[in-house]
Amino acid sequence: MNARLKAIYESASTLFIRQGYSRTQISHIAQAVGVSVGTIYHDFSGKKEIMQFVLKCTIEPDFMEKNLKRPINEEVFEGLEMEIEETFTTVLRDFSEQSARPETSFSAFISDAFDLVARYAAGLLFIEKNQYEFEKLAGYYRDFRNRFFETMTFYFNQYIERGVIRKPHFPQYAVTHIIETITWWGVDIRYSAFNQLDISKEQAREVVLDNLVPAYTCAHAGK
């Protein structure tokens, strides 16, 4: 893996999320990485290509390991928006198929939901924080969020009907609570939380499971 590209990815992701894409300049990214502006332009044609690189690496982590011609230009990212839309569709389908299996425990259901959200953290937060600059991506993201909520709600109700978890007084708000907890620990804590914690994804997952599973699991039922 190219260490400098990884540093640019991480620094640019954080800046685009915290202060916004439009307010972030190449000089800000260079300063965060600890290199000159010229070095950034040696690797990328401009800020737009860095943004596209962030999104591409979010949906395809191995992309960072490719031997790309420098400076990386926009041609490399042709069809990226369509790839993002297809990724949203694919990951939701796979999550739903896994959740539909009778052997999938409530604990595994929550863990899978956490992994889905945490895996695409940088891309999801980038779109959320910059939705007015990238309206088409924001539309894909809103559709993804709505379908994710519907999928979580459907299987949450399935676990209630099977007696695995208790029925909350307000099931619809319970699902929101679960999703927001997963999102905070899987996404926000790494990029936008006011008080960031030095915690690994694995540790964050354990915190989520330790708090959500006992809160909803019936006393007589297994996890």
Side-chain angles (χ1 to χ4, degrees):
M1 179 182 295
N2 187 299
R4 192 166 68 225
L5 285 185
K6 185 174 186 294
I8 292 173
Y9 166 83
E10 292 176 347
S11 296
S13 297
T14 302
L15 288 168
F16 290 156
I17 290 167
R18 290 184 180 176
Q19 65 186 40
Y21 175 79
S22 61
R23 293 184 179 182
T24 299
Q25 300 176 13
I26 292 289
S27 59
H28 299 156
I29 299 172
Q31 183 177 14
V33 176
V35 298
S36 68
V37 170
T39 298
I40 298 294
Y41 278 113
H42 169 78
D43 289 327
F44 292 93
S45 295
K47 186 175 73 169
K48 182 178 181 180
E49 286 74 19
I50 296 176
M51 175 272 293
Q52 292 172 320
F53 181 74
V54 167
L55 293 175
K56 180 70 172 181
C57 290
T58 299
I59 63 173
E60 187 183 330
D62 291 342
F63 186 78
M64 198 178 298
E65 300 177 9
K66 292 185 176 181
N67 185 20
L68 300 169
K69 182 180 178 181
R70 313 295 175 82
I72 300 171
N73 60 48
E74 191 173 6
E75 293 179 4
V76 177
F77 307 106
E78 185 177 353
L80 179 58
E81 288 187 348
M82 183 65 68
E83 287 183 51
I84 292 172
E85 182 184 25
E86 291 173 352
T87 297
F88 284 159
T89 299
T90 299
V91 297
L92 278 176
R93 183 195 63 216
D94 293 346
F95 173 65
S96 181
E97 290 177 354
Q98 175 63 32
S99 301
R101 296 174 182 173
E103 67 271 19
T104 301
S105 66
F106 182 65
S107 178
F109 170 68
I110 297 297
S111 180
D112 290 343
F114 174 89
D115 288 342
L116 185 158
V117 170
R119 177 181 177 184
Y120 301 102
L124 296 177
L125 258 186
F126 171 83
I127 297 172
E128 182 176 316
K129 300 297 184 180
N130 297 278
Q131 57 183 301
Y132 299 111
E133 286 89 351
F134 303 96
E135 294 183 0
K136 191 171 183 179
L137 288 177
Y140 296 155
Y141 176 68
R142 280 190 291 271
D143 183 58
F144 168 79
R145 289 275 300 195
N146 290 335
R147 287 186 291 152
F148 182 56
F149 179 82
E150 292 170 359
T151 302
M152 290 289 290
T153 300
F154 176 81
Y155 290 107
F156 184 79
N157 289 331
Q158 291 289 302
Y159 283 112
I160 292 174
E161 292 178 9
R162 286 158 45 192
V164 174
I165 61 175
R166 64 181 178 82
K167 183 177 182 179
H169 293 298
F170 304 100
Q172 70 274 31
Y173 299 135
V175 174
T176 298
H177 167 245
I178 289 172
I179 292 175
E180 291 302 320
T181 301
I182 287 172
T183 301
W184 195 89
W185 285 97
V187 178
D188 296 282
I189 196 173
R190 295 162 58 186
Y191 294 101
S192 62
F194 185 77
N195 291 317
Q196 290 184 295
L197 299 178
D198 184 16
I199 184 172
S200 68
K201 185 170 70 173
E202 290 71 26
Q203 290 172 321
R205 184 194 300 109
E206 287 303 312
V207 171
V208 168
L209 293 173
D210 189 47
N211 283 272
L212 290 182
V213 174
Y216 292 99
T217 304
C218 297
H220 66 275
K223 296 180 182 180

